[in-house]
Amino acid sequence: MTNTLGTAYRDIHNASIHEREKFWLDAAAGVDWYTPPTAALDDSEAPFYRWFPGGTLNTSYNALDRHVLAGRGEQPALIHDSAVKGKSVTYTYSKLLREVEKFAGVLSRHGVAKGDRVVIYMPMIPEAVIAMLATARLGAIHSVVFGGFAANELAVRLDDARPTVVVTASGGREPSRVVEYLPLVAKALELTTHHVDTVIVKKRPQVPGTAADYDGLTNTRWFDWKNETKTSEPHAAVPVAASDPLYILYTSGTTGTPKGVVRDNGGHAVALTWSMENIYTMKPGEVMFTGSDVGWVVGHSYIVYAPLLAGATTVLYEGKPVGTPDAGAFWRIVRDHNVKVLFTAPTALRAIRKEDPQAHELAKYRIPSLEHVFLAGERLDPDTYHWATETLGVPVVDHWWQTETGWPICASPRGIEVLPLKAGSPSFPVPGYDLEILDERAEPLPHLAEGNIVIRLPLPPGTLTTLWGNDDRYRAGYLNEFPGYYLTGDSGYIDSDGYVFVMGRTDDVINVAGHRFSTGAMEAVIAGHPAVAESAVVGVNDDIKGQVPAAYVVLKKGVTISDEELSRDLVARMREQIGAVAAFHQVTVIPALPKTRSGKVLRKTMRQIIAGEHYVVPATIDDVEVLAALEETVRRGVVAR
Ligand code: COA
Ligand code: AMP
């Protein structure tokens, strides 16, 4: 970066690292505290850090009550735009507060208190947001499970989070089908060892199934949302310590068991509030539309918490970027609701571009309110970046983050300074993040050299404090490899202007349409098939979704099964055990998996062969013939689909 360019950004970034206490205590003034914190960072138990010791607050109060008390009660807080129902409904801050108070009363009546967990398994309806804020209001801890996950994935999360109550809805509407949630919840409850006392069901008229259909069948009680809220007493916000957990959000790791990322109340409220103006340029009263799902971290942070903490208006969209009804859906929303910032995943723009490359749909809408598009969730390929920039005529800002961090690690902080954007780069480390690129021996790498992207500890407020119930896994997965640093699991480099380029994961996590999946978990599903000896799942390039999983399967000796039957079985198993959203369709039978002499599958080499890239035969290979056989299979395009 030249000396003049980026001065404001650089000064603020420096202050966030070198005058950390002052920087974050100043930022903490952006939220309302019952007891203000006495310090910013508590590092007495490093590498476990706690932010804002001594501070007490309530996140739900900060997201709702304080705006109403400040006279903004009649301002829209949440607009539910349902392409599925073809209408939108607006909740003002006062109305949303009333609903949240009432539902907090319901949860409390069902025994939920500070520190208890509530699992929320819901489609994109206002009740999902209400349930989250009501849980936070009680000082309890929510864990939202993405509605596209199958019963098995829900069960794993229930057993780990051990909730008192599950909140769900009769179902969701996907363009191709109605998704009934209640049979999935019932099945998940059968699979768990943890007993859930209470399920609360929001009945949707379009989807069959009611609480009454399930109540009495087992010793879990099922209740109807509407009946319960009719008779409930509004519940006031409960003060919690800044370091008390607000939520657990599960994400995929290298192994099959998901990791429960724990977010605190205080650091989260401060960081997200700070980010709204400094990164996204958003001010109170302005409208943000984040096209994601409340089940993902982007949805937690920029559909629900950040816009409401900042007193802005958020759009909760139940629909897809294409097909509901067409590739103009996002532009219609921007126009209808006067959206200033649109935030989505590159895959959504790729899907829109594929349907409407000449942007005829866009031409139908005048959208002068749109000032920025922010993209995250996966690498933004330069082609999509250029298309979106030229088509929309507004800055298209790539920014990089993870479920673990909860807010961006790298971004162009448009509220601080307008800096040039570079295709393929999410720009610069966000204030609070002290980023380095290290080689395998923990040596810093020079400009342009690709290596492990790490963040010097402490991570800033708002990032994970640990993994739920598993400090050891947190340490082992993120902190042990490079002592003093957090391992992001992404590789990349920094160019001579200071722009960071994030190239991809260094572990066995793949990114499908901006969603993260563990190849290990998929291999575990495949291993359950009686014909399968072993398999390797790798992420292969996909024009729309970035990556999709492809399974390379070795059959047990003597087994005969047709490719078609095997493929059908495995696709069905994956949909049933992980969910349709894994987009698993490709199965290839091969004679053997390429491995090292110590038995490790050579995934990187497999990926390179499948992508038709140049590869170097690893020195540690066990049997070089296996690679030749794989190459031949790929060349012949043999896929059992
Ligand atoms: N509940 C139940 N099922 C769901 C679901 C949900 N919430 N979300 C997706 N699914 C199902 C879909 O119905 C589909 O099932 P099918 O195979 O029976 O048709 C499958 O999961 C795959 O869905 P999806 O990923 O939506 O793929 P698609 O091909 O239907 O649509 C895109 C492609 C690009 C339009 C879509 O992936 C998309 O909108 N991506 C945006 C991603 C995003 O918001 N990421 C968040 C990170 S910021
Ligand atoms: P998730 O935790 O599901 O949000 O996935 C996080 C992962 O998505 C990161 O570790 C990256 O691999 C990838 N990712 C997210 N945003 C970006 C981005 N802007 N550029 C490149 N990769 C990204």
Side-chain angles (χ1 to χ4, degrees):
M1 205 181 301
T2 62
N3 277 340
T4 47
L5 194 63
T7 310
Y9 155 71
R10 214 173 18 217
D11 287 352
I12 290 180
H13 188 268
N14 275 338
S16 74
I17 305 296
H18 302 298
E19 297 158 48
R20 184 186 297 128
E21 283 292 306
K22 178 174 172 0
F23 183 88
W24 286 114
L25 280 176
D26 286 351
V31 308
D32 279 11
W33 302 87
Y34 299 112
T35 324
T38 48
L41 182 69
D42 171 4
D43 58 3
S44 58
E45 289 178 40
F48 294 88
Y49 297 91
R50 298 286 175 262
W51 285 93
F52 307 113
T56 61
L57 77 165
N58 181 283
T59 299
S60 178
Y61 176 92
N62 271 280
L64 299 170
D65 307 53
R66 68 166 171 158
H67 304 308
V68 175
L69 291 171
R72 311 177 68 83
E74 293 318 299
Q75 184 203 299
L78 181 137
I79 300 167
H80 180 226
D81 186 306
S82 175
V84 170
K85 289 202 277 184
K87 64 174 190 179
S88 63
V89 176
T90 298
Y91 287 68
T92 62
Y93 271 97
S94 296
K95 182 174 175 196
L96 190 57
L97 172 59
R98 275 196 304 277
E99 299 295 329
V100 168
E101 284 177 319
K102 266 196 288 178
F103 197 64
V106 172
L107 290 175
S108 166
R109 202 168 59 203
H110 286 285
V112 177
K114 190 165 162 175
D116 291 340
R117 275 81 57 213
V118 173
V119 163
I120 299 169
Y121 181 63
M122 292 183 110
M124 290 284 283
I125 55 176
E127 286 76 9
V129 179
I130 291 166
M132 290 167 79
L133 292 166
T135 306
R137 193 162 192 85
L138 299 174
I141 304 164
H142 61 69
S143 187
V144 181
V145 178
F146 174 59
F149 278 130
N152 187 54
E153 291 287 318
L154 175 60
V156 171
R157 287 156 175 80
L158 290 172
D159 267 336
D160 197 69
R162 308 181 69 75
T164 313
V165 169
V166 172
V167 185
T168 188
S170 53
R173 293 278 296 270
E174 284 294 297
S176 58
R177 64 206 154 96
V178 167
V179 183
E180 289 184 45
Y181 282 29
L182 302 191
L184 298 174
V185 175
K187 185 164 174 212
L189 293 177
E190 261 174 50
L191 294 170
T192 51
T193 50
H194 169 69
H195 171 73
V196 174
D197 293 332
T198 305
V199 178
I200 300 173
V201 180
K202 166 68 192 168
K203 169 71 186 154
R204 304 193 77 196
Q206 311 86 348
V207 189
T210 64
D213 297 341
Y214 292 84
D215 193 37
L217 298 183
T218 64
N219 57 356
T220 295
R221 297 295 316 273
W222 295 61
F223 297 89
D224 176 67
W225 174 295
K226 199 164 160 199
N227 285 344
E228 292 301 293
T229 43
K230 246 190 248 159
T231 53
S232 94
E233 289 295 318
H235 204 294
V238 174
V240 296
S243 56
D244 281 341
L246 169 69
Y247 70 75
I248 309 165
L249 181 57
Y250 288 89
T251 189
S252 300
T254 299
T255 65
T257 336
K259 304 189 279 196
V261 165
V262 177
R263 195 88 59 216
D264 66 3
N265 274 276
H268 174 256
V270 172
L272 292 196
T273 305
W274 185 90
S275 75
M276 280 298 274
E277 193 161 346
N278 289 287
I279 296 177
Y280 298 96
T281 75
M282 287 292 301
K283 298 201 174 58
E286 295 178 337
V287 185
M288 184 167 194
F289 164 34
T290 298
S292 177
D293 189 287
V294 290
W296 306 115
V297 68
V298 168
H300 276 62
S301 294
Y302 291 98
I303 295 176
V304 183
Y305 283 110
L308 298 179
L309 286 165
T313 301
T314 186
V315 179
L316 179 78
Y317 173 55
E318 187 180 17
K320 303 267 173 178
V322 293
T324 53
D326 53 38
F330 276 14
W331 322 136
R332 177 194 60 75
I333 292 168
V334 170
R335 183 206 55 190
D336 285 357
H337 307 303
N338 231 10
V339 170
K340 174 177 169 181
V341 166
L342 163 64
F343 177 175
T344 189
T347 193
L349 291 189
R350 286 197 296 267
I352 293 171
R353 182 187 180 188
K354 185 170 175 232
E355 294 279 303
D356 184 22
Q358 306 301 327
H360 294 308
E361 290 297 336
L362 177 63
K364 295 183 187 164
Y365 302 96
R366 263 181 42 76
I367 50 170
S369 63
L370 187 68
E371 291 187 11
H372 283 102
V373 173
F374 283 85
L375 296 174
E378 56 179 322
R379 187 172 142 73
L380 171 58
D381 54 288
D383 207 27
T384 305
Y385 165 80
H386 289 302
W387 177 82
T389 306
E390 280 153 29
T391 306
L392 291 165
V394 298
V396 173
V397 186
D398 181 14
H399 62 330
W400 166 55
W401 49 305
Q402 310 183 315
T403 305
E404 288 86 343
T405 64
W407 64 299
I409 309 166
C410 281
S412 195
R414 306 289 292 185
I416 295 177
E417 189 172 5
V418 173
L419 295 164
L421 299 165
K422 280 195 193 187
S425 168
S427 297
F428 313 110
V430 163
Y433 291 93
D434 194 359
L435 197 138
E436 285 188 43
I437 312 286
L438 300 182
D439 70 10
E440 296 308 320
R441 289 159 304 143
E443 295 295 331
L445 286 167
H447 287 316
L448 300 175
E450 187 173 332
N452 298 288
I453 315 182
V454 296
I455 303 163
R456 189 187 290 276
L457 295 173
L459 293 172
T463 54
L464 83 171
T465 51
T466 188
L467 295 178
W468 180 250
N470 208 337
D471 285 349
D472 288 345
R473 191 172 179 197
Y474 173 53
R475 228 192 294 253
Y478 300 96
L479 308 179
N480 285 355
E481 191 155 338
F482 298 107
Y485 295 92
Y486 164 86
L487 180 71
T488 64
D490 280 301
S491 78
Y493 63 88
I494 302 180
D495 77 3
S496 52
D497 294 326
Y499 286 73
V500 177
F501 288 76
V502 181
M503 304 311 290
R505 300 284 309 184
T506 55
D507 53 14
D508 298 327
V509 163
I510 59 170
N511 195 314
V512 181
H515 311 318
R516 200 162 135 181
F517 292 96
S518 152
T519 54
M522 295 186 180
E523 286 162 13
V525 171
I526 294 172
H529 191 287
V532 172
E534 57 178 348
S535 76
V537 173
V538 293
V540 296
N541 297 340
D542 182 84
D543 285 351
I544 301 293
K545 298 195 176 185
Q547 282 186 306
V548 288
Y552 287 79
V553 179
V554 180
L555 295 179
K556 283 183 184 153
K557 276 213 170 64
V559 167
T560 47
I561 182 167
S562 72
D563 284 1
E564 290 69 25
E565 188 183 346
L566 178 71
S567 179
R568 215 174 32 246
D569 285 359
L570 294 182
V571 168
R573 271 170 189 261
M574 207 68 84
R575 289 174 75 91
E576 202 185 302
Q577 292 184 38
I578 292 187
V581 70
F584 175 77
H585 302 292
Q586 296 187 27
V587 178
T588 305
V589 177
I590 52 175
L593 293 177
K595 290 186 184 169
T596 63
R597 282 189 285 277
S598 61
K600 220 172 151 246
V601 175
L602 290 163
R603 287 165 198 285
K604 186 171 169 211
T605 318
M606 285 185 76
R607 267 198 307 273
Q608 288 170 320
I609 291 177
I610 294 158
E613 290 168 7
H614 169 75
Y615 70 96
V616 177
V617 177
T620 53
I621 189 147
D622 180 40
D623 179 358
V624 75
E625 289 303 313
V626 175
L627 281 189
L630 175 65
E631 216 172 341
E632 175 59 14
T633 310
V634 171
R635 196 184 56 74
R636 287 191 287 120
V638 185
V639 177
R641 57 186 310 187

